[in-house]
């Protein structure tokens, strides 16, 4: 098994990144915040970071005899002082724009992004074609 998380910030440096131990599936339970020694954090430059998690079969079995059923968490933050100095970050595509800014006095809000990795038999074979309606 191999999981790779790539984080790309366009202008703002990534100043903190951690990968805690695997968590159970309950968001509310107390979690071990110590560093996951299996995950490798690879800094390409100040705005690009990769996290690679490749546990051995023994490490996977040690976690659970039924395979890994858990949350793999990557936590990171950006240098907010640079955002404030630059007045934020603006992206313009066609006729739309988005303006990112984060005041240094604002606490970071937790976010949960979930990816489900399904390797069951139902995932085999030809994919179902989407129905497109006009």
């Amino acid at each position: 098994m191999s999981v790779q998380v790539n984080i790309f910030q366009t202008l703002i440096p990534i100043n903190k990144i951690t990968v805690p131990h695997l968590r159970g599936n309950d968001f509310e339970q107390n979690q071990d915040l110590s560093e996951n020694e299996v995950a490798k954090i690879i800094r390409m430059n100040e705005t690009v970071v990769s996290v690679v998690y490749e546990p051995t079969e023994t490490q996977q079995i040690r976690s659970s005899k039924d395979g890994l059923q858990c949350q793999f968490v990557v936590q990171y933050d950006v240098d907010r002082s640079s955002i404030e100095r630059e007045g934020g970050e603006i992206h313009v595509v066609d006729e739309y724009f988005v303006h990112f800014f984060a005041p240094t006095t604002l606490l970071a809000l937790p976010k949960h992004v979930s990816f489900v990795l399904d390797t069951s038999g139902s995932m085999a074979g030809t994919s179902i074609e989407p129905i497109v309606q006009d």
Side-chain angles (χ1 to χ4, degrees):
M1 181 185 80
S2 177
V3 175
Q4 182 169 346
V5 177
N6 298 313
I7 303 169
F8 301 94
Q9 288 293 134
T10 52
L11 301 172
I12 304 159
I14 299 167
N15 67 352
K16 179 181 130 186
I17 183 162
T18 59
V19 182
H21 280 283
L22 298 176
R23 297 181 178 182
N25 288 324
D26 184 359
F27 281 115
E28 302 302 320
Q29 74 188 75
N30 288 335
Q31 307 296 343
D32 182 0
L33 298 178
S34 60
E35 286 288 317
N36 185 326
E37 59 278 345
V38 178
K40 296 179 189 87
I41 299 172
I42 304 163
R43 288 187 172 270
M44 308 297 187
N45 58 47
E46 65 179 6
T47 61
V48 179
V49 176
S50 285
V51 177
V52 178
Y53 179 69
E54 295 177 316
T56 64
E57 187 175 335
T58 304
Q59 290 167 325
Q60 292 177 52
I61 292 170
R62 196 177 313 135
S63 294
S64 170
K65 291 182 179 90
D66 298 324
L68 293 174
Q69 296 178 22
C70 57
Q71 296 176 49
F72 177 71
V73 176
V74 176
Q75 300 169 323
Y76 78 97
D77 201 355
V78 296
D79 179 4
R80 295 177 195 215
S81 64
S82 69
I83 299 171
E84 203 165 90
R85 270 196 315 275
E86 302 297 324
E89 182 177 345
I90 298 174
H91 295 265
V92 180
V93 177
D94 295 328
E95 298 175 6
Y96 301 95
F97 77 93
V98 63
H99 184 187
F100 296 101
F101 62 94
T104 54
T105 57
L106 183 66
L107 295 175
L109 299 173
K111 294 150 201 80
H112 296 284
V113 179
S114 299
F115 297 94
V116 177
L117 307 178
D118 186 350
T119 59
S120 68
S122 66
M123 300 307 292
T126 306
S127 298
I128 298 172
E129 291 294 322
I131 298 172
V132 179
Q133 296 180 355
D134 291 327

